[in-house]
Amino acid sequence: MRKKILSVLLAATMVFSLAACGGGEKETEAPKETEAKTEAAKDTEAADADTTAAADSTAAADAAESTASGETKTITIGYAPATLNNAFWLAVKDGVQKAIEERTGYEVTLVDIDAGGDQAKMNDGISNLLGAGCDAMLVAPADSTAAMSALEECKNAGVPVINFDTPVDNTNGIVETIIASDNYNAGYVVGKDAASKMPEDAKILILNSDRASACVQRKQGFKDALDESGKKYTIINDLDGQGDMEVSLGVVSNAIVADPDLDVIFAVNDPSAMGSVNAIQQATVELEKEIMVYGVDGNPDAKLMIKNGDMEGTGSQSPETLGYDSMMAAFDVLEGKSIEPEIVVDTFLITAENVDEFGTDGWQ
């Protein structure tokens, strides 16, 4: 368009110049001719402008159509749970995969970081993945405090973090959102049920995993429910089961030798609760009474123990929902959409009374 306008204006300028330097008759006719040429240039410019506008409109329509049809974008997502040696985290990953399958327009490479419960190992894995190239991280710390250095590294690298299950301190906006089950309520519903069934002056053993804030919240909810019941009780021991079935088996085996008259064992997750059940079944001392064992998660194997009468109950959550919501949040962030700073997933109690409603062949 500019070349056309320039040509027309140049021609008009040349006519004006010839008229000004020539004989008398052409000098009087030049203004009219120049005016006509100038008007012609304006008409040409207007026509070109209309053509350009039409072309721009067509290009915009083509771009919109291309966006609607969806061009595939290749991205890499880091999946960093506390450990992969736990059916819960594998179920969370199932939810992540479901979200990936449902969200169109992406080709996703999901990279696992298996920390095995070691936060230092997780931090190293996150750092390595950042170096290799990553678009977003899904992180559930093994240690909420020790994870902060890795999360700061992600923020400095411009890689958004979706913090799931185990909340971190997000005062400075170090993560995009925290997606977690109502962990306090998971412990609370267990404590409420235990209080309704245990005798006065009950003796209670707690298996903790205090490095994870989610587990701290569960324990606090359990204790608050006991206190609200008004029943007297004694916490004989508050021991670290590390959230692991084998570790908890050993811890509880020793604990029931020292206190064979326990009434309740509360474990902050189902693997620890299942380890407790195994310890009771393998006890080398005669137990004075039946011990009620509670966990948290809603693990299929734990639900089977509840159905069989070996475990009293579990404060349950839906790990697949947790994973699904986390991955969808990552997609939204990458697309520039705003998301809530906190997303809470419901928790509820499963006991022998309602276990058939949820089944024992999978997560709820």
Side-chain angles (χ1 to χ4, degrees):
M1 182 184 77
R2 291 179 179 175
K3 288 183 178 179
K4 290 181 180 179
I5 295 171
L6 183 60
S7 298
V8 173
L9 290 176
L10 182 58
T13 302
M14 289 176 65
V15 169
F16 182 81
S17 299
L18 289 171
C21 297
E25 289 184 359
K26 290 186 177 180
E27 184 175 354
T28 57
E29 294 176 0
K32 292 182 180 180
E33 186 176 357
T34 301
E35 183 178 349
K37 293 294 184 179
T38 302
E39 290 301 321
K42 289 181 179 179
D43 291 342
T44 303
E45 182 177 0
D48 285 347
D50 289 342
T51 302
T52 301
D56 289 344
S57 177
T58 302
D62 291 343
E65 185 178 349
S66 175
T67 301
S69 63
E71 294 182 2
T72 301
K73 183 177 181 180
T74 302
I75 61 173
T76 299
I77 304 293
Y79 176 64
T83 179
L84 285 172
N85 185 29
N86 184 325
F88 176 84
W89 301 113
L90 296 176
V92 174
K93 187 178 177 182
D94 288 342
V96 172
Q97 293 284 12
K98 182 180 179 182
I100 291 172
E101 291 167 6
E102 287 188 11
R103 195 71 164 239
T104 58
Y106 291 92
E107 181 179 330
V108 181
T109 299
L110 188 65
V111 180
D112 292 341
I113 298 174
D114 187 2
D118 184 339
Q119 188 58 51
K121 186 176 180 181
M122 181 187 290
N123 290 353
D124 288 343
I126 290 174
S127 182
N128 291 338
L129 187 52
L130 288 175
C134 183
D135 296 284
M137 290 277 188
L138 310 181
V139 180
D143 186 318
S144 305
T145 302
M148 297 304 284
S149 60
L151 300 182
E152 288 173 2
E153 187 177 358
C154 290
K155 189 173 182 64
N156 292 336
V159 174
V161 173
I162 306 301
N163 173 210
F164 69 96
D165 186 72
T166 307
V168 300
D169 181 2
N170 198 30
T171 305
N172 296 323
I174 198 165
V175 298
E176 300 295 328
T177 186
I178 297 173
I179 302 178
S181 298
D182 190 341
N183 287 293
Y184 177 87
N185 185 65
Y188 183 88
V189 295
V190 167
K192 189 173 181 179
D193 191 70
S196 70
K197 297 174 180 177
M198 70 187 192
E200 287 284 354
D201 297 316
K203 292 184 177 181
I204 299 173
L205 168 65
I206 292 177
L207 289 180
N208 68 58
S209 183
D210 286 348
R211 295 173 300 165
S213 59
C215 295
V216 173
Q217 293 168 10
R218 295 170 187 178
K219 184 169 72 173
Q220 189 60 53
F222 174 75
K223 293 168 70 175
D224 285 352
L226 293 181
D227 291 339
E228 288 178 14
S229 74
K231 277 190 176 178
K232 294 180 181 179
Y233 66 91
T234 302
I235 295 178
I236 300 298
N237 245 321
D238 189 340
L239 305 173
D240 187 2
Q242 298 180 26
D244 182 83
M245 185 161 59
E246 291 301 319
V247 172
S248 296
L249 188 157
V251 168
V252 174
S253 294
N254 294 330
I256 58 180
V257 169
D259 294 287
D261 57 345
L262 289 172
D263 294 287
V264 177
I265 295 177
F266 170 63
V268 293
N269 72 354
D270 280 344
S272 289
M274 292 187 289
S276 300
V277 169
N278 292 338
I280 291 170
Q281 293 173 341
Q282 300 170 22
T284 58
V285 296
E286 184 176 350
L287 303 178
E288 297 184 13
K289 61 189 76 172
E290 185 175 339
I291 303 174
M292 294 188 296
V293 178
Y294 290 90
V296 172
D297 279 341
N299 183 301
D301 291 335
K303 288 187 290 183
L304 184 59
M305 284 186 170
I306 291 171
K307 186 176 178 66
N308 292 338
D310 298 319
M311 210 172 126
E312 193 65 29
T314 179
S316 302
Q317 55 185 326
S318 175
E320 291 184 6
T321 299
L322 200 60
Y324 181 88
D325 288 352
S326 296
M327 189 63 232
M328 284 300 189
F331 282 131
D332 287 345
V333 169
L334 291 174
E335 292 172 8
K337 298 177 182 177
S338 60
I339 59 175
E340 293 295 324
E342 291 187 17
I343 299 172
V344 179
V345 178
D346 289 338
T347 52
F348 47 91
L349 182 69
I350 294 179
T351 64
E353 284 70 33
N354 65 352
V355 67
D356 287 337
E357 177 184 342
F358 299 99
T360 59
D361 57 351
W363 294 84
Q364 51 287 336

